[in-house]
Amino acid sequence: MSMSSSLLLPAVASDHEHVRALVRVSPGIPFAVRVVKRGIDIVMAIFGLLIAAAFSPFIILAIRVDSAGPVFYRQKRAAGTGVRNRSGRRQFASFDMLKFRSMRIDAEKQTGAILASENDSRVTRVGRFLRKTRLDELPQLWNVLIGDMSLVGPRPERPELFENLALAIPFFEERMRDCRPGITGLAQISLGYTGRAPSGSVVAQMDSCLVNPFKLANADGSEADDMRTKLLFDLAYVASLEHFWTFIATELTIILKTPWVMLRGLGR
């Protein structure tokens, strides 16, 4: 996929092993792209909610039978690039994202806010199925309809996690510039559950730049490694919004491939 934005992938350089990155900030999404994208969001959200209404009662019943707790889960997620306050910390606009509950109600009692991992022990039996098929994301169609999210876009992170990732990964916040967070995205249809690039892919050949680029001790397998890989796909998607026909091709490709990812159980 072509990109009009200039993007230099992070690389380890010299004895200091610092990261060099160059991202040209988009001048803005064209009006035509904004109108069509919002139109697609509204139509697909209404259509999706009508279809979901047919089998959501079965999901609700399964969650109720499987574990104690509410059926729906409301969680704060970050949107936009954020601004720095007087103390230097980055603050993000946030919204309440809806999901079918897939974890125990005390999932973060001991750990606090952390990213979910593959085979996460906090996930319920029904929740494991919902996550693999991404059916736990269905309530977010309501977020799309009211304008908090878009059908396609970078996945939103928890504000506290977003801040830490922005500190660890140069330009991480740029993935949300001028773009609503999405239910699905280029990263979700291109990568596995953990976000690691498929073996033998072009991106996998860049592991030396993406996986522990600072060569820190005991840092292998960190959450930031997978998020660096996802960042490449998120930036590519945001760049595609700069031109109408590139946007149309990318948007439709992601929308059409998402059901296949769901059926194969490759979602995160």
Side-chain angles (χ1 to χ4, degrees):
M1 183 183 67
S2 62
M3 292 177 57
S4 60
S5 289
S6 173
L7 174 64
L8 182 63
L9 301 178
V12 177
S14 77
D15 295 335
H16 299 288
E17 297 179 342
H18 64 277
V19 173
R20 293 183 291 112
L22 177 64
V23 177
R24 182 178 66 79
V25 176
S26 167
I29 300 175
F31 179 74
V33 172
R34 292 181 183 276
V35 171
V36 173
K37 184 170 176 58
R38 184 58 185 152
I40 292 174
D41 285 346
I42 293 173
V43 171
M44 294 299 291
I46 293 174
F47 181 68
L49 286 169
L50 290 174
I51 294 177
F55 56 86
S56 287
F58 299 101
I59 296 177
I60 293 171
L61 179 61
I63 295 172
R64 286 288 192 190
V65 172
D66 184 51
S67 62
V71 170
F72 296 99
Y73 184 64
R74 188 187 301 268
Q75 191 177 69
K76 290 288 183 185
R77 294 295 175 109
T81 56
V83 294
R84 293 195 181 278
N85 59 23
R86 291 182 178 179
S87 64
R89 297 189 62 177
R90 188 173 291 275
Q91 293 182 320
F92 300 92
S94 63
F95 66 97
D96 290 327
M97 190 181 77
L98 301 174
K99 298 183 72 170
F100 281 123
R101 183 176 59 83
S102 60
M103 289 188 174
R104 303 189 312 266
I105 56 175
D106 61 346
E108 295 185 338
K109 185 176 180 180
Q110 302 296 329
T111 63
I114 59 173
L115 290 172
S117 59
E118 195 169 11
N119 300 318
D120 198 313
S121 61
R122 301 172 299 164
V123 178
T124 64
R125 290 172 298 177
V126 170
R128 200 167 304 283
F129 170 77
L130 294 178
R131 281 174 171 265
K132 289 197 63 160
T133 57
R134 298 182 68 180
L135 290 174
D136 62 321
E137 315 285 4
L138 281 178
Q140 289 161 42
L141 289 169
W142 177 253
N143 289 115
V144 173
L145 187 61
I146 64 177
D148 288 335
M149 297 177 66
S150 181
L151 189 66
V152 179
R155 287 295 293 164
E157 301 294 341
R158 305 270 291 274
E160 56 271 40
L161 294 177
F162 201 149
E163 181 181 4
N164 290 335
L165 289 167
L167 291 171
I169 306 173
F171 300 103
F172 184 78
E173 65 275 12
E174 293 298 327
R175 63 197 282 274
M176 302 290 281
R177 181 173 295 278
D178 213 17
C179 179
R180 286 191 180 99
I183 297 179
T184 185
L186 191 59
Q188 282 64 48
I189 66 167
S190 305
L191 304 172
Y193 182 89
T194 62
R196 191 61 56 88
S199 178
S201 66
V202 174
V203 175
Q205 297 174 22
M206 304 174 187
D207 272 359
S208 61
C209 298
L210 299 171
V211 178
N212 193 10
F214 301 103
K215 307 306 177 190
L216 301 175
N218 303 318
D220 290 336
S222 69
E223 296 169 348
D225 286 343
D226 295 334
M227 298 308 290
R228 285 188 193 92
T229 305
K230 283 189 173 185
L231 176 62
L232 300 184
F233 290 87
D234 290 338
L235 290 177
Y237 173 74
V238 172
S240 77
L241 300 178
E242 295 179 16
H243 300 288
F244 184 80
W245 291 112
T246 306
F247 150 70
I248 290 294
T250 306
E251 199 85 354
L252 293 181
T253 297
I254 295 170
I255 291 173
L256 292 174
K257 283 188 176 183
T258 295
W260 177 239
V261 171
M262 295 172 67
L263 289 172
R264 293 177 64 197
L266 299 178
R268 178 169 183 170

